[in-house]
Amino acid sequence: MITITELEMVLLIAFGVMTFYFNKLKSELCMHRRVTAEIFMRIAKGNMKVTETEDGFDIEVTPK
């Protein structure tokens, strides 16, 4: 009969947790890319104007 030792159980759980967080991080990166691409497309089309200030950036959205 096959038995699972405590070390193997810990390693299996750690692998599952690491896989979960890797996929979560990957999906957040994908969403960040989509949002960034949308902002750049709006700036390129002229629907959004960005001006640099001392504190950061001001974003003005013009209605379509």
Side-chain angles (χ1 to χ4, degrees), residues 4-40:
I4 297 177
T5 63
E6 290 179 6
L7 178 61
E8 288 173 337
M9 184 63 77
V10 168
L11 291 175
L12 181 65
I13 292 171
F15 178 74
V17 169
M18 288 175 57
T19 303
F20 170 76
Y21 279 112
F22 173 76
N23 288 332
K24 183 179 175 186
L25 183 66
K26 195 166 100 173
S27 67
E28 288 177 3
L29 179 63
C30 184
M31 182 56 70
H32 175 72
R33 285 181 183 162
R34 288 181 185 170
V35 169
T36 304
E38 179 67 27
I39 290 173
F40 283 145

